Amino acid sequence: MRFSSPFWTSVALLLASGGVSGCGLSGGKPEPVTITRASYQPFGANYRGVTFGRTTQYFDDQPTETEFGFEYFVSAAVDTTGEQFVATLALDSVLLLAGATGGLSQAQVDSARGATFNASMARNGLLTDFTGGELSGVVAREITDRILKPFFPILPERGVESGDVWSDTVETQVVVNGLDNHVTQISEHAATDWAPFGGERALHIVTVSHYTFNGSGSQSGREFTIEGTGRRHIHQYLSEAGRYLGMVSADTSDGEARIADMELVIPIQQTRTDSLSIR
């Protein structure tokens, strides 16, 4: 039995200071204010993302590798509503990478095109109450669970500045490819410094996440369970105008699938890289 591969895993606008102190001088240019603390603000952006991964399954100690990869384009808008934001994320298109289809066809992937999702967004970037895309198929659902729901970095409530460190724990439930999977992820974040990124001054946030996963499902008429652990290293960037600019990440995981009625244990290893940038 062979398992199909899953697709694993600011502040206000730049203010200008207003004038020259009164010593009888005139005609001076105001000094620009340098933002030191970043937080989300309403914005809109179009993103290009690329995911590539390799899954290795061991049958009788013999490895079988499967590669998966896709390029996707997302339109995002964040607007204010009371004390929170409302986020809208639309999948403009999804394209399979040549030679890395992961068992999918482009026709299946095309069903996700145009899927639009709305969510409540806390001031720290956490998205909840996802709605939309119900008729867009399993590919859209998988991209939603693995990419769109954790789309924005989670910041401290007061915003973030260089030198800040913080942590969070996030639990998610993902149902895909016949597998109902529970993931618990513990992340340690550090804001390192301000630097140019994508033509803008941005705060660089480095995150190291450790996660566990366990679940059960059915494929080819056989019941199975799966469990394992993983580690993800992420570099994310937030502009001083409160706009998310993108990220790069690398992920590795090790797990085991167990098929009870065959008394079979299948070790599974996976590596994955992701990138996201404004286009």
Side-chain angles (χ1 to χ4, degrees), residues 9 12 56 83 88 103 118 134-135 180 182 212 229:
T9 182
T56 304
E83 293 298 317
T88 301
N118 298 301
E134 291 85 354
L135 303 179
D180 186 352
H182 180 83
T212 61
T229 61

Side-chain angles (χ1 to χ4, degrees), residues 50-214:
V50 177
T51 291
F52 178 80
R54 178 180 292 108
T55 300
T56 304
Q57 303 179 52
Y58 293 86
F59 301 89
D60 296 328
D61 295 327
Q62 297 300 312
T64 299
E65 291 188 348
T66 303
E67 293 183 340
F68 61 89
F70 55 96
E71 178 185 31
Y72 60 95
F73 297 87
V74 173
S75 299
V78 175
D79 296 309
T80 305
T81 172
E83 293 298 317
Q84 287 197 321
F85 296 122
V86 172
T88 301
L89 300 170
L91 274 173
D92 298 326
S93 64
V94 184
L95 302 171
L96 291 174
L97 299 184
T101 64
L104 291 172
S105 68
Q106 186 60 49
Q108 288 175 293
V109 170
D110 285 343
S111 66
R113 180 180 296 170
T116 301
F117 305 88
N118 298 301
S120 298
M121 178 176 170
R123 291 285 174 175
N124 66 354
L126 180 66
L127 298 178
T128 58
D129 302 325
F130 253 77
T131 60
E134 291 85 354
L135 303 179
S136 301
V138 295
V139 174
R141 181 173 181 176
E142 187 163 354
I143 292 175
T144 301
D145 287 339
R146 302 199 182 280
I147 295 175
L148 299 186
K149 287 185 177 180
F151 195 79
F152 300 108
I154 299 177
L155 309 179
E157 292 289 346
R158 62 185 177 85
V160 60
E161 63 183 350
S162 179
D164 283 352
V165 295
W166 68 102
S167 62
D168 57 64
T169 300
V170 176
E171 297 191 21
T172 57
Q173 197 76 18
V174 180
V175 181
V176 66
N177 288 337
L179 174 66
D180 186 352
N181 197 31
H182 180 83
V183 182
T184 301
Q185 179 171 285
I186 301 173
S187 301
E188 301 288 338
H189 312 273
T192 58
D193 52 19
W194 290 88
F197 183 83
E200 299 187 46
R201 182 173 179 263
L203 185 61
H204 179 197
I205 300 170
V206 178
T207 297
V208 177
S209 299
H210 295 84
Y211 60 88
T212 61
F213 58 91
N214 62 83

Side-chain angles (χ1 to χ4, degrees), residues 5-17:
S5 301
F7 287 142
W8 308 100
T9 182
S10 320
V11 317
L13 297 174
L14 182 60
L15 302 174
S17 94

Side-chain angles (χ1 to χ4, degrees), residues 249-269:
S249 71
D251 186 302
T252 60
S253 64
D254 291 275
E256 289 184 341
R258 297 177 179 271
I259 307 172
D261 65 356
M262 298 177 63
E263 297 184 351
L264 181 64
V265 178
I266 303 173
I268 302 174
Q269 297 176 339

